[in-house]
Amino acid sequence: MTLGGWINLLLSVGFVTTLFVYCLWRVLRGSPSDVNHLAHVEPHDPEQR
Amino acid sequence: MPANKDVWSSKLGVILAVAGSAVGLGNFLRFPGLAAQYGGGAFMIAYFVSLLLIGIPICWVEWALGRQGARHNYHSSPGIFHSLMKSRWSKFLGICGFIVPVMIYMYYVYIEAWCLGYAVNALAGNLGPDIDFVTFFTSFTGAATDGSAVRFGLHDVGIFVLIVYALNFFFIYRGIAKGIELACKIAMPALITMALIILVRVLTLGTPDAAKPEQSIINGLGFMWNPAKPVVERITGQTWQTIATIESLELQSAYAARLAIDGTERIIDVNGTPTVQRRTNQWTKVETIASPQLVPAYQARLATDGTERITYRSALVNLTNPLLWLAAAGQVFFSLSVGIGVIITYASYMKRDDDVVLSGLTASSANGFCEVALGGLITVPAAFVFLGSAGVVGQSIFGLGFNVLPEVFALMPAGRLFSTIFFSLLFLAAVTSSLSMLQPGIAFLEEGLAIGRKRSVAILAIITGVGTWFIWHYSANLKALDTIDFWVGTVMLFVQATLMIIVFSWGIGLKKGWAMLHEGAEMRAPGVYRFILRYITPVFLLGIFMLFLLQNVFGWNYSLANPTFTPTGYMQDLIGDHPDPVARLSVFFIAGMILLTITLTLIAGRNWAKRDAGDHLNKTP
């Protein structure tokens, strides 16, 4: 295995692995808009009792 | 006809299903063979360029078109094209989206049966080191004579064909969420886990044979990934090229005094003008040297008259080889399963505002991971370690998978276990792919003939059953399989993909198509893809298709100066001096399927016209 071979292997395998893991993470994290569907909650104000 | 309410139960489900459709035998057998053959560095450059300019764009287009079809409750390619373009002929643009997956299924399920059969035989200990694997494969698949595969023992493919057939239709009958999605949610993680186990086993092989220290796993990886491979070249011809013309006779003696003394330069009269010419040798590759460590041994064996040499072919030089680009682009194209008609159908079961940009990229990246990171590190290095470069070079996909690799596992410690795992992995990869090829057919029959799932499954089972029996019976030299794979699984695939990209970028229009792609998108495609989708992808794809036809149909010798065309085997099988009757029968069968599809599309068109009129009346106040 030459230096060029190691560079080729690491770049190719690294690229596809990084892209796959990144995409999976984005999918499993879910859409940011899902968070916005939480009901609005008024901040608690101890003065207002 | 009641609206089809079948949908995916989750985004991950549709992604796993599309990835499952894409990941198949090609990831683990075809890609490694091509990368090793063309030189790892140059091939990977061409591969990634093709992925960015053809693979991912067409993938996005197909996802977007499919999801758009869902708006009008169409799930088949003919139906989706009909709903998108609203003309009487547009449905016919999608007929390849029925023919291609259905006919590929007919032979793919046969190959799937090989994988299951090999996994079971490996488990039973029938693939040991004393087996002649070429003979075993020939007998198992019936490649020796027609009809010889229709047997039902453990060493025959018959029982496995029946099992995989039943398994496929069991899952497809259960529908999208409870059938295909469930199967892929189990199979895909299992497949990747098995591949990782095999990967760890292969990377820890070391140097199993102390008598062959050059056959180590590191050298095996080098054989696959080194960008510049040492090659032995030999002089096979000489040409003289003009480097200067002599203006006057007085200068001739001055030029003569400066000529090279090794005889590589001369002065010659060309049309009455003295001309200085230099000799150029034509060097032809004789052999690829498997590892840089073997170079001294080859050096000692070179001819002493200067007619042989060892040289390193760099990646940049290899990139000028059109065959390399054809191989790399073809591999990306076929590996991603774009243009088959599967993705467009799968995407049509998504909800209207489901993301397709991130989903399409995720499915493509899953395929790329299995291919490059798993297939690229397993198959060729493992074969090299036990059999050397001679065991790998020139092997076909079937040769590598069913002759070479069983022998490799037979020589490996605990080989029976790893052989079982490997062929089980291939079987799972094949199942998720074959399942995907049935759904486009089911969708078309349901919505085109206005029938329910039970009847459409039954009709498709009969159609594909006839086709699979045809391939199973006419198994000599795998001629029927090979012929249908070429004309349908390759040529028609190019046609469908080209139609799809042209419809998206030019028929629908890029502005509308780009907006369609980004509805509900969780990430935006880079803006440069607007230009790529409209101009680069169609031209690149057409260029690769033309190159493919020139090489594989017309047998062009890649010379512009002296072009010759020698029709290839596929053409000679049909119209040559000694045509092959099974090849002709296969093409006749394909023609029959095309006629059947056109007939069904005409019937579907009448039903859809009624449906569209009914929908219009319902919307009119």
Side-chain angles (χ1 to χ4, degrees), chain A residues 6-48:
Chain A
W6 281 113
I7 292 172
N8 186 22
L9 186 156
L10 291 171
L11 279 179
S12 299
V13 173
F15 172 69
V16 294
T17 306
T18 305
L19 181 64
F20 179 45
V21 169
Y22 168 73
C23 288
L24 260 187
W25 171 74
R26 285 282 303 255
V27 167
L28 293 173
R29 183 190 71 172
S31 162
S33 60
D34 290 341
V35 177
N36 295 333
H37 292 161
L38 291 173
H40 177 70
V41 177
E42 286 288 346
H44 172 66
D45 186 356
E47 300 289 320
Q48 282 190 340

Side-chain angles (χ1 to χ4, degrees), chain B residues 339-362:
Chain B
I340 291 183
V342 167
I343 297 177
I344 197 171
T345 290
Y346 272 8
S348 71
Y349 294 102
M350 300 172 80
K351 300 188 197 70
R352 59 187 295 156
D353 58 352
D354 275 343
D355 161 85
V356 297
V357 178
L358 177 60
S359 302
L361 188 63
T362 307

Side-chain angles (χ1 to χ4, degrees), chain B residues 146-269:
Chain B
D146 290 334
S148 60
V150 188
R151 296 190 301 240
F152 298 91
L154 184 61
H155 293 201
D156 308 307
V157 76
I159 189 73
F160 301 105
V161 173
L162 298 178
I163 292 172
V164 300
Y165 216 83
L167 190 70
N168 273 275
F169 276 91
F170 168 75
F171 279 112
I172 207 70
Y173 180 69
R174 289 168 59 98
I176 297 291
K178 291 184 184 147
I180 301 174
E181 189 175 337
L182 175 65
C184 292
K185 274 184 173 171
I186 298 170
M188 286 304 292
L191 180 164
I192 291 180
T193 305
M194 287 179 184
L196 288 170
I197 292 171
I198 299 286
L199 177 65
V200 170
R201 169 67 278 204
V202 168
L203 292 181
T204 53
L205 281 173
T207 312
D209 189 348
K212 296 176 186 170
E214 72 280 3
Q215 284 178 210
S216 67
I217 189 60
I218 294 293
N219 282 346
L221 289 171
F223 183 74
M224 175 81 186
W225 294 97
N226 282 345
K229 288 189 167 41
V231 295
V232 176
E233 291 182 330
R234 186 179 295 142
I235 293 175
T236 53
Q238 293 174 341
T239 56
W240 289 93
Q241 289 178 330
T242 298
I243 57 172
T245 51
I246 300 173
E247 303 292 327
S248 67
L249 283 172
E250 289 80 14
L251 291 172
Q252 191 164 340
S253 53
Y255 273 97
R258 293 209 299 267
L259 286 179
I261 58 172
D262 59 359
T264 56
E265 290 179 347
R266 69 184 183 185
I267 294 175
I268 192 169
D269 195 320

Side-chain angles (χ1 to χ4, degrees), chain B residues 12 182 309 392 525-526 557:
Chain B
L12 188 63
L182 175 65
R309 69 181 183 186
V392 181
N557 65 342

Side-chain angles (χ1 to χ4, degrees), chain B residues 520-534:
Chain B
E522 292 186 18
M523 66 181 285
R524 290 200 67 81
V528 69
Y529 270 95
R530 297 176 73 117
F531 180 82
I532 290 172
L533 277 166
R534 190 164 172 87

